[in-house]
Amino acid sequence: MASTSYLPRVFVTRSAPAAGLARLGQHCHMTVHEKENAPTREELLQGVRGMDALFVHPSTRIDKEVLDAAGPQLKVIGTYSVGLDHIDLDLCKERSIKVSHTPGVLTTATAELAVTLVLATAKRLEECIRAVKEGVWGTRWENALWLVGKQISGSVVGIVGLGRIGLAIAERLAAFGLSKIVYTGRAPKPESADPIGAEFLSFDELLKQSDFVIVSCSVDESNKNIFNTGAFKKMKPSSIFVNVSRGAIVDQKALYEALKSGQIGAAGLDVTTPEPLPPSDPLLTLPNCLVVPHIGSLTDSTRNIMCELVVDNILAGLEGRPLLSPAF
Ligand code: NDP
Ligand code: DGY
């Protein structure tokens, strides 16, 4: 009798591009959470049980309870993101579970979105579109300062986290003819900063000097809520805050107050707390706050490449080969 070889079992927490998943399915017994919404906690705990690998999305928290539910056979987790804040990495290390992520392949897409948010908030695009649709264009246009926006050329751009994405944002905005690029982070990064002439500043000094504060750092316990009332008070009243990092870096009540009171000029957010942001959230009542639904890496080519990378990492982890893009 022919022996049946063991096919490793993989749980995929949300649907992903078909070509990548089909390839994974050739090597594994794959279970995909097909529903439109992310799995509930119960569905997740049930879905991971007995799995050798997990293909997870950044909206899925992978903590002790999930790892316990999966069981000791779990070998590898591939996240469909570069951000790792949803995974208990220390515990994975402790349990010798390999973890991969998708650095680099989404840098361009996310930087393009950050630039889009800079332009859209500076030019007050959402308010402009609404004015046209509501038919108030004719009456108000005579006012020379109606819907007056901000110029990007000549401005000071401050990048919080000059990593892959932060640098790609700075490089693209430099083409507008900025007065200065400044950045902050845990330490100066001359290898990235020098070619674009960016100056390292303390967090507080960057807030004081910048016309645009763009957040592109990774987020962990050390920088949660660093954008709080005190931080917004240090920013210029005309300044624009753009966040493509994680919602957790912002105290959203403080952001609401800062936008409402004119402490800062406007905000463009790709990331919020929670996600999805409920339609009743006070931020959505503000004309100077533009929110998009975490679309930084959402281009067709990028999403396909990310999926292929997750699959390659999972297969490597299952076969005992080194991961292509390990998280640690
Ligand atoms: P990198 O690791 O290349 O860059 C992260 C940067 O954040 C590094 O420069 C790092 O500095 C800096 N950093 C870490 N901690 C702090 C801190 N406490 N204060 C200031 N800076 C800090 O990652 P990527 O550029 O590839 O991605 C960055 C983040 O962007 C991801 O972690 C994710 O959260 C988010 N992201 C969002 C997307 C979206 O769809 N909106 C898409 C992709 C990513 P150091 O080098 O000193 O560690
Ligand atoms: C990431 O990669 O961290 C994004 O948030 C999702 O693509």
Side-chain angles (χ1 to χ4, degrees):
M1 200 170 75
S3 71
T4 50
S5 59
Y6 176 76
L7 268 189
R9 303 184 63 194
V10 182
F11 181 58
V12 182
T13 62
R14 301 199 74 166
S15 74
L21 287 191
R23 195 157 62 83
L24 188 60
Q26 286 166 7
H27 300 272
C28 307
H29 178 80
M30 192 172 68
T31 309
V32 183
H33 176 79
E34 297 280 8
K35 295 184 189 165
E36 203 169 309
N37 292 329
T40 61
R41 194 71 180 162
E42 290 67 33
E43 286 171 333
L44 178 66
L45 295 175
Q46 182 63 38
V48 300
R49 190 154 299 152
M51 294 290 153
D52 300 290
L54 305 179
F55 181 141
V56 306
H57 292 66
S59 54
T60 306
R61 191 161 39 89
I62 304 296
D63 55 14
K64 181 173 184 305
E65 191 183 20
V66 175
L67 298 179
D68 287 347
Q73 77 298 326
L74 181 64
K75 287 186 190 59
V76 57
I77 299 172
T79 182
Y80 195 52
S81 63
V82 65
L84 290 159
D85 47 298
H86 54 298
I87 302 178
D88 186 337
L89 295 178
D90 289 337
L91 194 55
C92 289
K93 262 186 234 172
E94 205 179 285
R95 295 189 180 183
S96 302
I97 300 165
K98 293 179 176 180
V99 179
S100 74
H101 64 149
T102 61
V105 297
L106 41 53
T107 298
T108 297
T110 311
E112 285 180 359
L113 194 263
V115 173
T116 304
L117 290 175
V118 166
L119 291 169
T121 47
K123 306 303 170 193
R124 300 172 64 175
L125 221 56
E126 199 177 17
E127 289 171 85
C128 291
I129 293 167
R130 195 175 325 129
V132 174
K133 288 188 174 166
E134 290 175 357
V136 293
W137 178 1
T139 52
R140 307 223 180 123
W141 197 67
E142 303 303 319
N143 175 348
L145 291 180
W146 180 58
L147 286 176
V148 68
K150 293 192 199 314
Q151 194 136 314
I152 292 152
S153 87
S155 66
V156 176
V157 163
I159 306 278
V160 179
L162 194 71
R164 285 173 291 255
I165 294 170
L167 178 61
I169 296 168
E171 286 170 343
R172 282 154 180 76
L173 288 176
F176 283 86
L178 306 174
S179 122
K180 193 154 73 154
I181 301 174
V182 297
Y183 73 104
T184 193
R186 293 186 280 208
K189 297 182 145 245
E191 68 290 356
S192 302
D194 291 355
I196 54 167
E199 183 186 346
F200 183 75
L201 295 179
S202 68
F203 180 63
D204 285 1
E205 195 54 38
L206 176 139
L207 298 181
K208 252 188 249 169
Q209 290 194 21
S210 301
D211 298 299
F212 295 89
V213 173
I214 303 171
V215 190
S216 53
C217 59
S218 44
V219 175
D220 58 22
E221 286 306 317
S222 71
N223 59 2
K224 276 192 179 155
N225 286 331
I226 58 171
F227 282 92
N228 51 27
T229 304
F232 291 122
K233 278 197 177 138
K234 289 175 188 132
M235 289 169 62
K236 297 180 186 181
S238 57
S239 63
I240 292 183
F241 174 76
V242 167
N243 188 9
V244 294
S245 157
R246 284 292 182 264
I249 204 156
V250 185
D251 172 346
Q252 259 173 217
K253 275 197 186 126
L255 175 61
Y256 172 82
E257 290 305 330
L259 287 165
K260 176 104 181 146
S261 66
Q263 185 73 58
I264 66 170
L269 312 174
D270 185 40
V271 286
T272 57
T273 307
E275 290 183 8
L277 191 67
S280 59
D281 192 278
L283 277 179
L284 300 177
T285 64
L286 299 172
N288 54 348
C289 186
L290 174 64
V291 183
V292 294
H294 202 147
I295 56 168
S297 65
L298 220 168
T299 70
D300 45 7
S301 55
T302 296
R303 283 292 164 111
N304 280 313
I305 295 166
M306 286 169 72
C307 186
E308 298 295 340
L309 184 54
V310 179
V311 169
D312 285 339
N313 274 298
I314 288 178
L315 293 177
L318 288 172
E319 290 163 13
R321 291 183 280 114
L323 301 186
L324 285 84
S325 42
F328 49 78

